[in-house]
Amino acid sequence: QVQLVESGGGLVQAGGSLRLSCAASGHTFSSYAMGWFRQAPGKERDFVAAITWSAGSTYHANSVKGRFTISRDNAKNTVYLQMNSLKPEDMAVYYCAAAKSPLTVGRVGRAYEYDYWGQGTQVTVSS
């Protein structure tokens, strides 16, 4: 059974920073893609960022480029999302996801391409 556990969410003022972590257990992810998605109340789940586990290629949604950075630590089976210059519109529940298959750039942004999901962590940004 694959488990993904997010942490690091919380309340931050606009312009501030947070770092989310996603610890994976129960399987090796040497060739898996890992992604971050977010969902605000009443809205769809949106792609934020993704990283291929072995190659280290990263992808970021246009809305977060230059502010958010996805990274990974293979030894710890952990993926991070560094979020800087946070805006009120970044407020959402952030979900970590893992894909069993390596994903191409055209697929990393699609939630249905991911096989495992964490429980989510709330990020609240005050203006």
Side-chain angles (χ1 to χ4, degrees):
Q1 182 70 23
V2 173
Q3 290 187 333
L4 302 175
V5 180
E6 303 101 332
S7 61
L11 173 64
V12 64
Q13 287 188 334
S17 298
L18 283 174
R19 188 177 81 156
L20 305 183
S21 299
C22 173
S25 61
H27 209 286
T28 56
F29 292 94
S30 60
S31 62
Y32 292 8
M34 299 291 292
W36 287 99
F37 289 76
R38 65 187 181 185
Q39 189 167 20
K43 296 187 177 181
E44 295 184 351
R45 190 167 296 190
D46 291 331
F47 170 73
V48 176
I51 185 167
T52 56
W53 200 259
S54 57
S57 297
T58 61
Y59 310 91
H60 297 83
N62 288 336
S63 59
V64 305
K65 277 183 181 177
R67 300 188 298 122
F68 291 11
T69 303
I70 190 171
S71 62
R72 85 275 193 253
D73 184 335
N74 290 349
K76 296 182 178 180
N77 261 11
T78 301
V79 175
Y80 304 98
L81 184 67
Q82 178 66 44
M83 306 187 295
N84 298 328
S85 302
L86 281 160
K87 304 175 181 180
E89 51 263 44
D90 294 319
M91 185 162 58
V93 177
Y94 282 71
Y95 296 92
C96 173
K100 290 189 289 186
S101 302
L103 298 181
T104 59
V105 62
R107 297 168 61 192
V108 293
R110 302 171 185 169
Y112 63 79
E113 297 281 5
Y114 293 80
D115 304 284
Y116 306 105
W117 292 84
Q119 82 288 351
T121 185
Q122 176 71 47
V123 171
T124 302
V125 183
S126 63
S127 56

